[in-house]
C-alpha cells in the first residue's frame, strides 16, 4: 500500500510546490521589506522643481501618506503615471514622489510634460534616502500610517485595480491606527 | 616548442583575472580596511541583479551600497554593524551568508536533514537485502 501511496503523496507535494513557486503572476524579484511596521525613515531633500524648496516627510506627520519612488529611466514608472494622476485626482492621501537615480532636469521635464500627481517631489541626489527606505528599483510605493509607520510596500507599477484592492482598505485601516 | 606553448597558455590564464567593479571610488588607503571592505562587499547581494554581489555588480545601486560600506568602515563601524545596517533595510536576503537564526535554520539545516534521510534509506535497503536468502548458487540446468 505504502509503495503506491508514498510516490503519489510526493507527486502531490511537488504539484503544490510548483503551483506556488512557478506561478507566473508571482514577481520573483519582489522582496518583502523588513521596514513594514517600522517608523518611516526621514526624507530631508529638496524639491525637484525648485532646489531651494525643502521636502521633508516630517511635515506629513500625523497624516496617512504615500511615497512613490520613480525615475525617468524607468519604463514601468511611465506606465503607472496615468494611474497616479488618476489617484491624485481622488485626493485621498498626499503622494510624495521620490526621484531616484535621475537628473533634476529630466525629472522636471517629465512632470511638466506628463502632469504632476505629487503633493511634493523630493529629489534624491545621491541615493542615500533610497538606501534608508530599502529601495532597490523603481517604481516602489510605500504607505505610511498616521503614526508614521510604514504599513505596506508595493513593488510594481501602480494601477487603479491595485489602488482599489491593496491601498484603499489599508489607508482606511491606517487612519484608524492613529486615532 | 611544447614549452613555448605552455608559457603562452599560462600567460593567457594570468590575463584572465576576473573583472571586478570594486574600483568605482578607488581603494581605501588602509589595506586592512580594504580587505574588510572586499569581504563585506562579496557577502552583500546586489538586489537588482540578484545573483551578483555588490562587489561584482556595475549597477548604480551596487555602487551606492559600496560607497555606504566604505563610509561606514572609515567611520569605524564593525562588520556586524554594517551587515545589520543592510539587513535592517533590505532584509536577510541581502546577505549571501545569512546568520543562522529562527528564519534561516531550515535552510542551513536542510543539507543535514537530506543527508540523514539518505543514510536512513541506505540502512533500510542494506538491512532488507541482508535478510534475503542467498540464492546466487548456480542453478542446475542445461548449459
Amino acid at each position: 500500500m505504502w509503495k503506491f501511496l508514498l510516490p503519489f503523496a510526493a507527486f502531490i507535494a511537488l504539484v503544490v510546490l510548483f503551483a506556488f513557486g512557478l506561478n507566473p503572476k508571482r514577481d520573483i524579484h519582489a522582496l518583502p521589506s523588513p521596514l513594514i511596521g517600522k517608523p518611516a525613515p526621514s526624507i530631508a531633500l529638496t524639491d525637484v522643481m525648485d532646489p531651494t524648496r525643502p521636502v521633508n516627510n516630517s511635515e506629513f506627520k500625523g497624516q496617512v501618506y504615500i511615497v512613490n519612488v520613480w525615475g525617468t529611466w524607468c519604463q514601468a514608472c511611465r506606465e503607472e503615471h496615468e494611474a497616479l494622476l488618476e489617484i491624485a485626482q481622488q485626493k485621498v492621501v498626499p503622494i510624495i514622489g521620490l526621484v531616484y537615480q535621475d537628473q533634476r532636469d529630466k525629472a522636471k521635464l517629465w512632470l511638466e510634460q506628463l502632469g504632476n500627481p505629487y503633493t511634493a517631489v523630493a529629489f534624491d541626489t545621491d541615493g542615500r534616502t533610497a538606501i534608508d527606505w530599502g529601495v532597490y528599483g523603481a517604481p516602489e510605493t510605500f504607505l505610511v500610517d498616521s503614526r508614521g509607520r510604514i504599513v505596506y510596500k508595493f513593488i510594481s507599477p501602480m494601477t487603479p485595480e491595485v489602488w482599489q484592492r491593496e491601498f484603499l482598505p489599508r489607508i482606511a485601516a491606517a487612519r484608524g491606527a492613529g486615532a | 616548442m611544447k614549452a613555448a606553448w605552455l608559457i603562452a597558455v599560462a600567460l593567457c590564464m594570468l590575463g584572465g583575472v576576473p573583472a571586478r567593479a570594486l574600483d568605482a571610488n578607488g581603494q581605501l588607503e588602509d589595506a586592512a580596511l580594504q580587505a574588510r571592505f572586499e569581504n563585506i562587499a562579496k557577502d552583500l547581494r546586489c538586489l537588482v541583479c540578484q545573483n551578483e554581489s555588490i562587489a561584482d555588480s556595475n549597477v548604480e545601486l551596487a555602487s551606492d551600497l559600496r560607497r555606504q560600506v566604505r563610509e561606514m568602515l572609515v567611520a569605524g563601524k564593525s562588520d556586524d554593524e554594517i551587515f545589520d545596517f543592510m539587513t535592517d533595510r533590505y532584509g536577510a536576503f541581502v546577505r549571501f551568508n545569512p546568520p543562522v537564526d529562527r528564519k534561516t535554520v531550515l535552510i542551513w539545516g536542510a543539507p543535514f536533514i537530506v543527508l540523514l534521510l539518505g543514510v536512513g534509506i541506505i540502512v533500510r535497503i542494506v538491512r532488507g537485502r541482508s535478510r534475503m536468502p542467498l540464492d546466487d548458487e548456480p542453478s542446475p540446468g542445461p548449459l
Side-chain angles (χ1 to χ4, degrees):
Chain A
M1 184 63 181
W2 276 109
K3 253 194 173 144
F4 302 101
L5 218 54
L6 213 61
F8 186 67
F11 173 74
I12 296 294
L14 275 181
V15 168
V16 172
L17 181 73
F18 289 157
F20 283 102
L22 303 179
N23 183 355
K25 282 192 187 149
R26 183 170 152 266
D27 182 1
I28 54 162
H29 291 286
L31 301 172
S33 171
L35 292 169
I36 305 295
K38 302 264 166 66
S42 85
I43 296 175
L45 296 163
T46 60
D47 197 281
V48 75
M49 306 304 252
D50 175 6
T52 62
R53 187 163 19 128
V55 176
N56 291 308
N57 61 342
S58 57
E59 283 174 35
F60 295 87
K61 218 171 176 178
Q63 289 185 66
V64 177
Y65 62 90
I66 297 277
V67 174
N68 175 253
V69 183
W70 62 281
T72 58
W73 47 269
C74 151
Q75 173 64 33
C77 300
R78 178 72 187 77
E79 284 166 24
E80 72 167 6
H81 200 76
E82 213 53 48
L84 288 176
L85 286 169
E86 227 173 271
I87 289 162
Q89 289 236 305
Q90 299 170 10
K91 292 197 169 32
V92 183
V93 286
I95 307 174
I96 304 179
L98 181 65
V99 183
Y100 178 53
Q101 291 177 349
D102 212 337
Q103 288 156 30
R104 210 179 263 276
D105 295 343
K106 283 192 189 167
K108 222 168 138 177
L109 194 67
W110 164 291
L111 292 176
E112 281 162 4
Q113 287 180 344
L114 300 173
N116 184 351
Y118 302 104
T119 316
V121 191
F123 184 72
D124 191 9
T125 34
D126 51 12
R128 280 172 212 274
T129 307
I131 290 178
D132 281 342
W133 283 75
V135 169
Y136 62 89
E140 289 186 6
T141 307
F142 296 85
L143 176 64
V144 181
D145 75 5
S146 46
R147 286 187 304 171
R149 287 170 194 279
I150 297 178
V151 287
Y152 182 59
K153 178 182 184 182
F154 181 73
I155 305 171
S156 264
M158 177 70 78
T159 63
E161 294 75 44
V162 168
W163 179 249
Q164 280 284 340
R165 196 182 63 228
E166 307 291 341
F167 279 85
L168 285 180
R170 285 186 173 91
I171 288 170
R175 285 215 167 101
Chain B
M1 186 58 206
K2 204 176 176 188
W5 180 242
L6 276 178
I7 288 168
V9 170
L11 280 177
C12 286
M13 287 166 91
L14 272 180
V17 176
R20 290 251 138 171
L22 279 174
D23 48 347
N25 293 342
Q27 294 233 326
L28 287 162
E29 300 226 333
D30 185 335
L33 275 192
Q34 177 65 22
R36 278 174 62 202
F37 168 74
E38 287 177 22
N39 263 324
I40 295 171
K42 262 188 273 176
D43 190 23
L44 287 174
R45 185 188 301 273
C46 166
L47 293 142
V48 180
C49 27
Q50 297 185 351
N51 289 327
E52 268 189 309
S53 73
I54 64 165
D56 293 321
S57 175
N58 275 316
V59 300
E60 221 166 315
L61 174 66
S63 96
D64 285 353
L65 291 179
R66 286 197 298 270
R67 179 195 59 204
Q68 187 73 37
V69 172
R70 267 196 208 95
E71 285 173 357
M72 292 181 81
L73 281 171
V74 171
K77 301 278 190 213
S78 74
D79 293 14
D80 281 343
E81 282 174 307
I82 296 173
F83 283 131
D84 286 348
F85 176 93
M86 294 298 173
T87 31
D88 282 350
R89 285 158 179 76
Y90 292 102
F93 187 68
V94 78
R95 294 194 60 180
F96 280 111
N97 274 316
V100 181
D101 62 22
R102 216 154 31 87
K103 275 189 198 158
T104 57
V105 72
L106 193 62
I107 299 171
W108 283 113
F112 301 103
I113 296 170
V114 172
L115 185 71
L116 277 178
L117 269 175
V119 169
I121 290 170
I122 289 173
V123 166
R124 268 190 69 145
I125 291 174
V126 169
R127 280 207 183 140
R129 286 200 180 163
S130 66
R131 272 198 295 267
M132 281 185 204
L134 287 174
D135 60 353
D136 50 356
E137 277 134 50
S139 52
L143 289 169

